[in-house]
Amino acid sequence: RFGRGGGGPPLGFRGGRGRPGRRDAPGGGRERGGGGMSGGMLSYKAFMAQLDDDVTPSVAEAQYAQYKEEYARLQLRQFFTECQAKEWFRARYDPMVLERQAPERAREA
């Protein structure tokens, strides 16, 4: 899911100080459902295009690192939410299911 282009920074991300058309500008940015992450992670170039022109490279790099961490965290949460009720997921990670399968696994070992 970590691709280039599309998407935007996570909702509530404050990469700079409100330029028109940006997510953090009042009334700015594109509205989209699903938490604003549906199009994939921004490339560094696309992320930089959203920042103010006076942002220093070191500040921009720090903000992009923060954006990537938040993006990964949200992707992980989305994956968990989507998969937690699926049988394969529960068989692998649900402690109750694992406990029921323990005797069978012990016999096979």
Side-chain angles (χ1 to χ4, degrees):
R1 303 244 353 177
F2 290 95
R4 291 182 161 233
L11 294 178
F13 181 78
R14 303 284 186 210
R17 297 287 173 238
R19 190 181 333 167
R22 294 196 28 210
R23 289 191 180 283
D24 61 345
R30 293 177 290 199
E31 295 298 322
R32 68 174 99 203
M37 301 295 272
S38 61
M41 189 174 84
L42 288 175
S43 67
Y44 182 71
K45 183 177 180 179
F47 182 82
M48 286 291 296
Q50 294 184 348
L51 298 179
D52 291 334
D53 294 335
D54 62 348
V55 173
T56 64
S58 60
V59 170
E61 288 174 15
Q63 289 178 350
Y64 188 64
Q66 179 184 0
Y67 161 74
K68 290 191 306 182
E69 288 175 13
E70 178 71 7
Y71 182 86
R73 187 181 63 75
L74 291 174
Q75 289 294 303
L76 183 60
R77 180 181 291 165
Q78 180 182 0
F79 173 78
F80 179 79
T81 302
E82 290 175 2
C83 296
Q84 67 183 352
K86 295 181 180 179
E87 184 178 336
W88 70 266
F89 190 86
R90 294 186 71 218
R92 186 170 212 153
Y93 300 110
D94 188 330
M96 301 291 280
V97 174
L98 290 172
E99 189 174 308
R100 281 182 292 198
Q101 295 174 346
E104 181 180 327
R105 288 185 184 191
R107 278 186 305 229
E108 292 176 1

XYZ file of all heavy atoms in Angstrom:
851
model
N 0.814 -1.202 0.000
C 0.000 0.000 0.000
C 0.852 1.258 0.000
O 0.316 2.333 -0.148
C -0.913 0.002 1.213
C -1.790 -1.197 1.299
C -3.211 -1.046 1.207
N -3.813 0.232 1.185
C -5.101 0.403 1.043
N -5.861 -0.630 0.927
N -5.627 1.570 1.029
N 2.126 1.132 0.217
C 2.963 2.318 0.240
C 3.380 2.646 -1.185
O 4.344 2.141 -1.697
C 4.207 2.097 1.107
C 3.866 2.012 2.550
C 3.677 0.792 3.138
C 3.715 3.148 3.299
C 3.347 0.706 4.466
C 3.397 3.072 4.620
C 3.210 1.839 5.211
N 2.589 3.489 -1.843
C 2.881 3.877 -3.215
C 3.164 5.351 -3.306
O 3.132 6.091 -2.340
N 3.454 5.775 -4.485
C 3.708 7.192 -4.714
C 2.461 7.872 -5.231
O 1.577 7.255 -5.769
C 4.807 7.365 -5.757
C 6.140 6.928 -5.242
C 7.152 7.172 -6.312
N 8.439 7.176 -5.677
C 9.317 8.135 -5.785
N 9.089 9.154 -6.551
N 10.461 8.078 -5.160
N 2.459 9.184 -5.093
C 1.411 10.006 -5.668
C 0.097 9.904 -4.923
O 0.017 9.360 -3.851
N -0.944 10.454 -5.528
C -2.277 10.385 -4.953
C -2.358 11.059 -3.607
O -1.778 12.083 -3.373
N -3.078 10.478 -2.696
C -3.283 10.830 -1.306
C -2.804 12.160 -0.786
O -2.350 13.008 -1.505
N -2.879 12.316 0.482
C -2.444 13.527 1.120
C -2.008 13.236 2.528
O -2.067 12.101 2.971
N -1.554 14.241 3.214
C -1.127 14.011 4.593
C -2.305 13.608 5.462
O -3.447 13.870 5.114
C -0.567 15.370 5.017
C -1.049 16.350 4.044
C -1.420 15.619 2.808
N -2.041 12.959 6.579
C -3.124 12.546 7.462
C -3.950 13.742 7.908
O -3.419 14.850 8.022
C -2.410 11.921 8.658
C -1.021 11.687 8.234
C -0.745 12.609 7.101
N -5.214 13.493 8.159
C -6.062 14.567 8.639
C -5.491 15.119 9.926
O -5.027 14.379 10.779
C -7.482 14.058 8.871
C -8.223 13.639 7.620
C -9.600 13.111 7.993
C -8.355 14.779 6.652
N -5.483 16.422 10.046
C -4.955 17.057 11.232
C -3.467 17.306 11.171
O -2.909 17.908 12.073
N -2.768 16.842 10.121
C -1.334 17.079 10.012
C -1.104 18.552 9.732
O -1.710 19.131 8.850
C -0.737 16.239 8.878
C 0.741 16.446 8.743
C 1.600 15.827 9.634
C 1.266 17.249 7.769
C 2.963 16.011 9.528
C 2.618 17.441 7.664
C 3.466 16.818 8.547
N -0.230 19.139 10.499
C 0.068 20.567 10.357
C 1.489 20.729 9.852
O 2.421 20.948 10.612
C -0.080 21.294 11.694
C -1.438 21.138 12.300
C -2.433 22.013 11.598
N -3.703 21.940 12.308
C -4.840 22.078 11.717
N -4.916 22.281 10.432
N -5.947 22.029 12.413
N 1.668 20.593 8.550
C 3.002 20.668 7.974
C 3.524 22.073 7.842
O 4.716 22.283 7.718
N 2.710 23.052 7.864
C 3.135 24.434 7.696
C 2.045 25.341 8.208
O 1.295 24.987 9.087
N 1.946 26.501 7.651
C 0.934 27.456 8.104
C 0.029 27.869 6.959
O 0.342 28.755 6.199
C 1.599 28.704 8.693
C 2.406 28.397 9.903
C 1.461 28.103 11.057
N 2.209 27.638 12.201
C 1.990 26.478 12.783
N 1.064 25.679 12.364
N 2.707 26.120 13.807
N -1.083 27.177 6.819
C -2.199 27.440 5.927
C -2.001 28.224 4.651
O -2.183 29.418 4.619
N -1.620 27.574 3.592
C -1.647 28.156 2.265
C -2.970 27.736 1.638
O -3.424 26.626 1.871
C -0.484 27.605 1.438
C -0.304 28.336 0.143
C 0.819 27.829 -0.722
N 1.909 27.194 -0.039
C 2.820 26.482 -0.672
N 2.775 26.325 -1.961
N 3.787 25.915 -0.010
N -3.634 28.584 0.846
C -4.917 28.198 0.256
C -4.819 26.874 -0.483
O -3.839 26.615 -1.176
C -5.233 29.345 -0.711
C -4.483 30.507 -0.155
C -3.242 29.933 0.475
N -5.841 26.037 -0.301
C -5.876 24.741 -0.968
C -5.210 23.632 -0.177
O -5.215 22.498 -0.580
N -4.624 23.964 0.961
C -3.971 22.958 1.788
C -4.954 22.410 2.805
O -5.908 23.061 3.171
C -2.769 23.565 2.505
C -1.718 23.953 1.498
C -0.392 24.196 2.072
N -0.173 23.433 3.273
C 0.600 23.856 4.236
N 1.189 25.009 4.148
N 0.789 23.127 5.303
N -4.675 21.213 3.313
C -5.562 20.580 4.279
C -5.683 21.371 5.565
O -6.713 21.370 6.193
C -5.057 19.188 4.630
C -5.231 18.244 3.522
C -4.962 16.841 4.046
N -5.134 15.919 2.964
C -6.313 15.525 2.513
N -7.393 15.942 3.066
N -6.400 14.697 1.504
N -4.606 22.032 5.991
C -4.669 22.723 7.268
C -5.153 24.162 7.132
O -5.325 24.853 8.112
C -3.325 22.686 7.996
C -2.210 23.349 7.219
O -2.392 23.593 6.013
O -1.161 23.612 7.817
N -5.397 24.611 5.898
C -5.950 25.945 5.698
C -7.449 25.883 5.944
O -8.103 24.930 5.539
C -5.680 26.421 4.272
N -8.010 26.872 6.624
C -9.456 26.858 6.849
C -10.206 26.772 5.527
O -9.997 27.586 4.639
C -9.732 28.176 7.562
C -8.421 28.596 8.124
C -7.373 28.037 7.207
N -11.017 25.747 5.385
C -11.800 25.572 4.163
C -10.977 25.081 2.988
O -11.468 24.971 1.880
N -9.707 24.770 3.196
C -8.842 24.366 2.092
C -8.749 22.863 1.982
O -9.241 22.110 2.797
N -8.053 22.411 0.966
C -7.825 20.985 0.772
C -9.002 20.311 0.113
O -10.082 20.848 0.016
N -8.746 19.111 -0.357
C -9.808 18.320 -0.964
C -10.490 17.514 0.100
O -9.853 16.963 0.979
C -9.216 17.377 -2.010
C -8.652 18.097 -3.193
C -8.036 17.092 -4.091
N -6.835 16.587 -3.412
C -5.851 15.969 -4.003
N -5.905 15.737 -5.278
N -4.811 15.550 -3.331
N -11.778 17.423 0.008
C -12.522 16.592 0.945
C -12.585 15.194 0.363
O -12.831 15.006 -0.811
C -13.947 17.142 1.129
C -13.996 18.500 1.769
C -13.418 18.514 3.175
O -13.631 17.529 3.907
O -12.750 19.484 3.519
N -12.351 14.217 1.207
C -12.477 12.836 0.765
C -12.829 11.986 1.962
O -12.492 12.321 3.078
C -11.214 12.336 0.082
C -10.047 12.196 0.995
C -8.899 11.555 0.284
N -7.991 12.605 -0.126
C -7.149 12.502 -1.098
N -7.068 11.423 -1.793
N -6.347 13.476 -1.415
N -13.458 10.871 1.712
C -13.827 9.976 2.797
C -12.683 9.050 3.137
O -11.637 9.068 2.521
N -12.882 8.235 4.144
C -11.908 7.214 4.499
C -10.667 7.737 5.175
O -9.626 7.121 5.102
N -10.709 8.909 5.795
C -9.577 9.373 6.558
C -8.519 10.097 5.767
O -7.467 10.400 6.282
N -8.749 10.352 4.477
C -7.802 11.134 3.708
C -6.563 10.376 3.279
O -5.624 10.960 2.798
N -6.529 9.061 3.444
C -5.341 8.294 3.119
C -5.594 7.333 1.959
O -4.783 6.477 1.698
C -4.897 7.488 4.337
C -4.592 8.335 5.543
S -3.200 9.410 5.310
C -1.911 8.324 5.815
N -6.692 7.463 1.275
C -7.091 6.462 0.293
C -6.209 6.444 -0.940
O -6.150 5.450 -1.630
C -8.539 6.688 -0.120
O -8.686 7.964 -0.706
N -5.505 7.511 -1.251
C -4.728 7.554 -2.480
C -3.299 7.114 -2.320
O -2.562 7.075 -3.280
N -2.833 6.770 -1.161
C -1.463 6.344 -0.962
C -0.604 7.440 -0.360
O -0.989 8.602 -0.290
N 0.581 7.046 0.042
C 1.501 7.978 0.685
C 2.079 8.947 -0.337
O 2.376 8.571 -1.465
C 2.639 7.197 1.347
C 3.518 8.041 2.206
S 4.727 7.070 3.100
C 5.983 6.926 1.857
N 2.242 10.186 0.079
C 2.826 11.197 -0.793
C 4.314 10.965 -0.976
O 5.006 10.560 -0.034
C 2.655 12.592 -0.178
C 1.274 13.203 -0.161
C 1.298 14.527 0.596
C 0.773 13.417 -1.572
N 4.812 11.238 -2.153
C 6.254 11.248 -2.351
C 6.812 12.484 -1.651
O 6.073 13.414 -1.308
C 6.577 11.312 -3.850
O 6.179 12.561 -4.379
N 8.115 12.511 -1.455
C 8.735 13.664 -0.796
C 8.482 14.933 -1.613
O 8.174 15.984 -1.069
C 10.236 13.423 -0.627
C 10.945 14.539 0.092
C 10.743 14.751 1.450
C 11.807 15.393 -0.585
C 11.383 15.769 2.125
C 12.454 16.425 0.079
C 12.243 16.604 1.430
O 12.874 17.620 2.091
N 8.566 14.801 -2.926
C 8.347 15.951 -3.818
C 6.921 16.488 -3.677
O 6.712 17.699 -3.562
C 8.618 15.543 -5.267
C 8.491 16.665 -6.255
C 8.850 16.177 -7.650
C 8.721 17.283 -8.665
N 9.081 16.822 -10.014
N 5.934 15.592 -3.665
C 4.535 16.016 -3.514
C 4.293 16.628 -2.144
O 3.553 17.599 -2.000
C 3.592 14.844 -3.752
N 4.921 16.053 -1.109
C 4.785 16.596 0.234
C 5.370 18.003 0.297
O 4.781 18.909 0.875
C 5.492 15.676 1.237
C 5.362 16.118 2.658
C 4.230 15.812 3.391
C 6.368 16.844 3.274
C 4.102 16.220 4.711
C 6.253 17.247 4.586
C 5.122 16.945 5.308
N 6.548 18.172 -0.302
C 7.202 19.487 -0.314
C 6.351 20.541 -1.017
O 6.351 21.708 -0.623
C 8.567 19.404 -1.013
C 9.636 18.720 -0.193
S 10.132 19.682 1.233
C 10.839 21.113 0.465
N 5.616 20.129 -2.040
C 4.783 21.070 -2.792
C 3.676 21.652 -1.913
O 3.160 22.729 -2.210
C 4.188 20.388 -4.020
N 3.334 20.963 -0.835
C 2.275 21.448 0.053
C 2.798 22.379 1.141
O 2.018 23.018 1.823
C 1.581 20.266 0.723
C 0.825 19.400 -0.237
C 0.083 18.304 0.480
O 0.301 18.050 1.653
N -0.804 17.649 -0.245
N 4.103 22.431 1.317
C 4.675 23.245 2.381
C 4.877 24.691 1.910
O 4.956 24.962 0.719
C 6.020 22.662 2.834
C 5.978 21.255 3.414
C 7.380 20.811 3.790
C 5.065 21.184 4.618
N 4.994 25.584 2.883
C 5.304 26.970 2.567
C 6.677 27.048 1.917
O 7.552 26.217 2.171
C 5.302 27.832 3.838
C 3.905 28.007 4.419
O 2.928 27.910 3.651
O 3.807 28.243 5.640
N 6.883 28.064 1.105
C 8.141 28.227 0.394
C 9.312 28.545 1.318
O 10.461 28.292 0.973
C 8.016 29.318 -0.672
C 7.053 28.917 -1.776
O 6.866 27.701 -1.986
O 6.492 29.819 -2.429
N 9.042 29.088 2.490
C 10.127 29.484 3.387
C 10.553 28.393 4.370
O 11.355 28.632 5.266
C 9.748 30.756 4.149
C 8.513 30.571 5.032
O 7.822 29.553 4.881
O 8.247 31.466 5.850
N 10.067 27.165 4.201
C 10.431 26.060 5.086
C 11.846 25.603 4.742
O 12.176 25.385 3.579
C 9.439 24.885 4.938
C 9.895 23.676 5.711
C 8.069 25.307 5.387
N 12.676 25.463 5.770
C 14.053 25.021 5.539
C 14.070 23.526 5.228
O 13.166 22.788 5.641
C 14.928 25.283 6.779
O 14.444 24.493 7.862
C 14.934 26.760 7.155
N 15.098 23.061 4.512
C 15.175 21.628 4.182
C 15.170 20.723 5.414
O 14.537 19.668 5.401
C 16.496 21.508 3.422
C 16.692 22.857 2.818
C 16.146 23.826 3.831
N 15.853 21.124 6.480
C 15.892 20.268 7.670
C 14.512 20.168 8.326
O 14.114 19.098 8.798
C 16.923 20.779 8.670
O 16.604 22.089 9.083
N 13.771 21.266 8.347
C 12.422 21.251 8.909
C 11.506 20.415 8.014
O 10.699 19.617 8.506
C 11.873 22.685 9.080
C 10.398 22.669 9.430
C 12.663 23.426 10.143
N 11.643 20.570 6.700
C 10.816 19.801 5.766
C 11.080 18.305 5.921
O 10.150 17.497 5.910
C 11.085 20.244 4.333
N 12.354 17.928 6.075
C 12.693 16.513 6.246
C 12.102 15.964 7.540
O 11.602 14.838 7.572
C 14.202 16.332 6.228
C 14.803 16.522 4.854
C 16.319 16.483 4.864
O 16.909 16.031 5.877
O 16.911 16.903 3.865
N 12.156 16.751 8.605
C 11.584 16.315 9.879
C 10.070 16.159 9.759
O 9.493 15.195 10.279
C 11.928 17.313 10.984
N 9.416 17.097 9.077
C 7.970 17.008 8.909
C 7.592 15.817 8.033
O 6.593 15.144 8.283
C 7.427 18.307 8.305
C 7.470 19.455 9.272
C 6.981 20.755 8.646
O 6.770 20.848 7.439
N 6.803 21.759 9.476
N 8.407 15.525 7.002
C 8.120 14.381 6.140
C 8.307 13.076 6.919
O 7.520 12.142 6.769
C 9.004 14.399 4.898
C 8.622 13.339 3.887
C 7.383 13.370 3.255
C 9.486 12.300 3.559
C 7.017 12.408 2.327
C 9.134 11.335 2.641
C 7.900 11.395 2.025
O 7.542 10.437 1.110
N 9.321 13.014 7.765
C 9.520 11.822 8.603
C 8.327 11.617 9.530
O 7.849 10.492 9.712
C 10.813 11.956 9.404
N 7.833 12.705 10.098
C 6.651 12.633 10.966
C 5.435 12.170 10.158
O 4.652 11.335 10.621
C 6.381 14.006 11.583
C 5.173 14.048 12.478
C 4.887 15.461 12.983
O 5.591 16.412 12.656
N 3.851 15.590 13.768
N 5.279 12.703 8.955
C 4.172 12.314 8.077
C 4.243 10.817 7.759
O 3.246 10.106 7.822
C 4.220 13.145 6.791
C 3.437 12.553 5.646
C 2.049 12.596 5.639
C 4.082 11.945 4.573
C 1.320 12.043 4.598
C 3.366 11.395 3.533
C 1.991 11.443 3.545
O 1.281 10.898 2.514
N 5.434 10.304 7.444
C 5.583 8.891 7.110
C 5.243 8.000 8.299
O 4.597 6.960 8.132
C 7.001 8.585 6.623
C 7.311 9.172 5.266
C 8.611 8.658 4.682
C 9.781 8.826 5.587
N 11.054 8.363 4.987
N 5.668 8.399 9.498
C 5.340 7.627 10.693
C 3.836 7.597 10.930
O 3.266 6.548 11.243
C 6.047 8.211 11.915
C 7.539 7.965 11.926
C 8.228 8.646 13.088
O 7.541 9.113 14.022
O 9.468 8.707 13.062
N 3.192 8.743 10.793
C 1.743 8.815 10.982
C 1.016 7.994 9.916
O 0.055 7.286 10.205
C 1.280 10.276 10.941
C -0.211 10.470 11.067
C -0.738 10.165 12.464
O 0.060 9.932 13.376
O -1.966 10.153 12.626
N 1.504 8.061 8.679
C 0.904 7.300 7.593
C 0.998 5.800 7.888
O 0.012 5.067 7.763
C 1.601 7.621 6.268
C 0.987 6.910 5.098
C -0.096 7.464 4.426
C 1.467 5.682 4.666
C -0.680 6.805 3.356
C 0.890 5.020 3.610
C -0.176 5.585 2.954
O -0.755 4.923 1.904
N 2.175 5.336 8.300
C 2.359 3.913 8.604
C 1.462 3.491 9.766
O 0.875 2.400 9.735
C 3.826 3.636 8.924
N 1.358 4.335 10.777
C 0.508 4.020 11.927
C -0.950 3.891 11.499
O -1.648 2.949 11.887
C 0.653 5.110 12.996
C -0.053 4.789 14.299
C 0.093 5.911 15.320
N -0.521 7.156 14.893
C -1.840 7.397 14.888
N -2.665 6.471 15.291
N -2.318 8.549 14.493
N -1.408 4.813 10.658
C -2.795 4.761 10.198
C -3.051 3.564 9.283
O -4.113 2.958 9.331
C -3.169 6.067 9.490
C -3.265 7.286 10.400
C -3.505 8.547 9.576
C -4.356 7.114 11.433
N -2.058 3.196 8.458
C -2.202 2.023 7.602
C -2.307 0.759 8.442
O -3.108 -0.120 8.144
C -1.019 1.919 6.630
C -1.031 2.956 5.544
C -2.210 2.773 4.613
O -2.380 1.711 4.026
N -3.012 3.799 4.460
N -1.504 0.666 9.489
C -1.544 -0.489 10.371
C -2.894 -0.584 11.068
O -3.502 -1.662 11.139
C -0.420 -0.407 11.396
C -0.295 -1.578 12.354
C -0.046 -2.883 11.598
C 0.817 -1.315 13.349
N -3.379 0.542 11.554
C -4.693 0.552 12.218
C -5.793 0.152 11.238
O -6.691 -0.621 11.573
C -4.996 1.938 12.787
C -6.348 1.967 13.488
C -6.673 3.316 14.033
N -5.783 3.609 15.153
C -5.612 4.809 15.658
N -6.252 5.835 15.148
N -4.810 4.998 16.675
N -5.725 0.659 10.005
C -6.727 0.323 9.001
C -6.678 -1.172 8.675
O -7.708 -1.827 8.577
C -6.505 1.148 7.732
C -7.493 0.856 6.639
C -7.219 1.664 5.383
O -6.280 2.461 5.331
N -8.010 1.459 4.367
N -5.475 -1.713 8.522
C -5.325 -3.143 8.246
C -5.940 -3.978 9.369
O -6.682 -4.926 9.129
C -3.844 -3.490 8.073
C -3.581 -4.960 7.953
C -3.825 -5.629 6.762
C -3.092 -5.684 9.035
C -3.589 -6.993 6.652
C -2.858 -7.042 8.929
C -3.099 -7.696 7.742
N -5.630 -3.628 10.611
C -6.167 -4.365 11.749
C -7.689 -4.300 11.766
O -8.360 -5.315 11.938
C -5.598 -3.820 13.065
C -6.144 -4.516 14.266
C -5.656 -5.749 14.649
C -7.177 -3.956 15.004
C -6.164 -6.415 15.752
C -7.694 -4.607 16.111
C -7.189 -5.836 16.480
N -8.242 -3.109 11.564
C -9.694 -2.932 11.588
C -10.367 -3.758 10.501
O -11.398 -4.394 10.735
C -10.062 -1.450 11.430
O -9.443 -0.720 12.493
C -11.555 -1.234 11.471
N -9.776 -3.781 9.313
C -10.365 -4.522 8.199
C -10.248 -6.031 8.367
O -11.101 -6.777 7.899
C -9.704 -4.105 6.883
C -10.059 -2.714 6.439
C -9.294 -2.278 5.194
O -8.500 -3.088 4.652
O -9.476 -1.136 4.772
N -9.197 -6.503 9.032
C -8.915 -7.943 9.076
C -9.263 -8.629 10.384
O -9.275 -9.865 10.433
C -7.440 -8.179 8.770
S -6.973 -7.681 7.113
N -9.563 -7.877 11.427
C -9.715 -8.492 12.745
C -10.829 -9.529 12.820
O -10.753 -10.447 13.637
C -9.910 -7.434 13.816
C -11.190 -6.657 13.727
C -11.257 -5.578 14.785
O -10.427 -5.502 15.663
N -12.253 -4.731 14.695
N -11.843 -9.438 11.996
C -12.943 -10.404 12.037
C -12.737 -11.569 11.062
O -13.495 -12.531 11.099
C -14.264 -9.706 11.726
N -11.707 -11.525 10.242
C -11.478 -12.592 9.267
C -10.885 -13.812 9.955
O -10.097 -13.713 10.892
C -10.556 -12.097 8.158
C -11.201 -10.994 7.335
C -10.310 -10.527 6.227
C -11.020 -9.428 5.444
N -10.201 -8.911 4.373
N -11.275 -14.980 9.456
C -10.875 -16.239 10.081
C -9.357 -16.417 10.122
O -8.800 -16.816 11.141
C -11.524 -17.401 9.326
C -11.251 -18.736 9.956
C -11.949 -19.857 9.221
O -12.956 -19.619 8.549
O -11.450 -20.999 9.332
N -8.664 -16.139 9.022
C -7.217 -16.330 8.989
C -6.516 -15.438 10.011
O -5.531 -15.845 10.631
C -6.650 -16.078 7.593
C -6.686 -14.641 7.152
C -7.665 -14.040 6.413
C -5.721 -13.621 7.436
N -7.365 -12.710 6.224
C -6.172 -12.434 6.842
C -4.512 -13.610 8.135
C -5.460 -11.249 6.925
C -3.808 -12.415 8.207
C -4.284 -11.253 7.605
N -7.027 -14.228 10.200
C -6.421 -13.286 11.136
C -6.615 -13.768 12.571
O -5.678 -13.767 13.374
C -7.036 -11.898 10.926
C -6.321 -10.799 11.667
C -5.230 -10.173 11.105
C -6.764 -10.378 12.909
C -4.565 -9.156 11.771
C -6.113 -9.360 13.593
C -5.002 -8.741 13.015
N -7.832 -14.189 12.868
C -8.125 -14.666 14.219
C -7.343 -15.944 14.521
O -6.850 -16.132 15.635
C -9.620 -14.887 14.381
C -10.373 -13.552 14.285
C -11.829 -13.678 14.589
N -11.966 -13.935 16.012
C -12.864 -14.757 16.527
N -13.714 -15.381 15.742
N -12.935 -14.932 17.815
N -7.200 -16.835 13.533
C -6.452 -18.074 13.742
C -4.982 -17.787 14.047
O -4.325 -18.552 14.748
C -6.574 -18.968 12.513
N -4.495 -16.714 13.557
C -3.082 -16.395 13.748
C -2.810 -15.524 14.978
O -1.745 -15.643 15.591
C -2.574 -15.684 12.501
C -1.112 -15.450 12.524
C -0.614 -14.967 11.199
N 0.734 -15.459 11.029
C 1.306 -15.681 9.895
N 0.650 -15.484 8.789
N 2.537 -16.104 9.841
N -3.749 -14.630 15.346
C -3.464 -13.631 16.372
C -4.409 -13.604 17.577
O -4.084 -12.983 18.578
C -3.452 -12.229 15.741
C -2.424 -12.076 14.656
C -2.808 -11.954 13.333
C -1.073 -12.066 14.958
C -1.858 -11.815 12.328
C -0.122 -11.934 13.970
C -0.522 -11.804 12.652
O 0.415 -11.680 11.677
N -5.565 -14.245 17.500
C -6.520 -14.195 18.609
C -6.091 -15.164 19.705
O -6.012 -16.379 19.474
C -7.918 -14.549 18.105
C -9.001 -14.344 19.151
O -8.715 -14.476 20.363
O -10.143 -14.055 18.760
N -5.812 -14.681 20.916
C -5.354 -15.565 21.996
C -6.345 -16.686 22.318
O -5.936 -17.798 22.641
C -5.183 -14.644 23.202
C -5.148 -13.265 22.653
C -5.860 -13.294 21.347
N -7.632 -16.411 22.227
C -8.643 -17.436 22.517
C -8.569 -18.567 21.483
O -8.632 -19.737 21.841
C -10.042 -16.817 22.522
C -10.207 -15.713 23.545
S -10.186 -16.317 25.221
C -11.851 -16.899 25.319
N -8.438 -18.215 20.223
C -8.351 -19.225 19.168
C -7.044 -19.994 19.297
O -7.006 -21.221 19.177
C -8.475 -18.564 17.773
C -8.230 -19.578 16.670
C -9.840 -17.915 17.622
N -5.960 -19.293 19.572
C -4.659 -19.944 19.732
C -4.677 -20.928 20.899
O -4.091 -22.015 20.815
C -3.562 -18.898 19.938
C -3.224 -18.042 18.719
C -2.271 -16.927 19.114
C -2.643 -18.886 17.603
N -5.342 -20.565 21.965
C -5.432 -21.443 23.134
C -6.198 -22.719 22.801
O -5.817 -23.814 23.219
C -6.123 -20.701 24.285
C -6.073 -21.430 25.598
C -6.644 -20.585 26.717
O -6.209 -19.435 26.878
O -7.545 -21.093 27.410
N -7.272 -22.584 22.024
C -8.048 -23.765 21.624
C -7.240 -24.663 20.689
O -7.398 -25.871 20.687
C -9.338 -23.353 20.925
C -10.429 -22.925 21.889
C -11.655 -22.596 21.136
N -11.351 -21.377 20.377
C -12.241 -20.551 19.845
N -13.511 -20.830 19.923
N -11.878 -19.470 19.220
N -6.362 -24.058 19.874
C -5.570 -24.829 18.914
C -4.304 -25.414 19.521
O -3.656 -26.259 18.906
C -5.186 -23.947 17.723
C -6.344 -23.486 16.893
C -5.919 -22.492 15.823
O -4.818 -21.964 15.858
N -6.805 -22.238 14.883
N -3.925 -25.008 20.732
C -2.668 -25.442 21.344
C -2.558 -26.961 21.468
O -1.515 -27.532 21.116
C -2.479 -24.765 22.692
N -3.576 -27.674 21.960
C -3.440 -29.146 22.068
C -3.216 -29.815 20.708
O -2.394 -30.726 20.587
C -4.774 -29.587 22.674
C -5.311 -28.381 23.367
C -4.825 -27.213 22.566
N -3.919 -29.348 19.699
C -3.752 -29.917 18.363
C -2.351 -29.661 17.830
O -1.720 -30.537 17.243
C -4.799 -29.330 17.406
C -4.726 -29.884 16.008
C -5.766 -29.280 15.084
O -6.864 -28.956 15.553
O -5.452 -29.127 13.900
N -1.845 -28.487 18.047
C -0.486 -28.150 17.596
C 0.550 -28.964 18.358
O 1.568 -29.353 17.784
C -0.228 -26.653 17.764
C -0.972 -25.809 16.781
C -0.598 -24.369 16.901
N -1.404 -23.572 15.993
C -1.182 -22.318 15.721
N -0.197 -21.663 16.294
N -1.958 -21.677 14.885
N 0.307 -29.202 19.628
C 1.252 -29.993 20.415
C 1.316 -31.439 19.908
O 2.387 -32.048 19.875
C 0.850 -29.972 21.886
N 0.169 -31.998 19.515
C 0.154 -33.365 18.971
C 0.893 -33.444 17.651
O 1.554 -34.430 17.375
C -1.298 -33.822 18.758
C -1.972 -34.337 20.006
C -3.308 -34.887 19.619
N -4.028 -33.831 18.920
C -5.273 -33.441 19.158
N -5.970 -34.074 20.047
N -5.830 -32.464 18.530
N 0.772 -32.389 16.835
C 1.418 -32.395 15.510
C 2.923 -32.183 15.610
O 3.643 -32.552 14.692
C 0.811 -31.306 14.626
C -0.622 -31.583 14.243
C -1.252 -30.440 13.439
O -0.540 -29.444 13.181
O -2.414 -30.553 13.082
N 3.385 -31.618 16.689
C 4.812 -31.297 16.822
C 5.674 -32.483 17.106
O 5.431 -33.531 17.382
C 5.021 -30.264 17.916
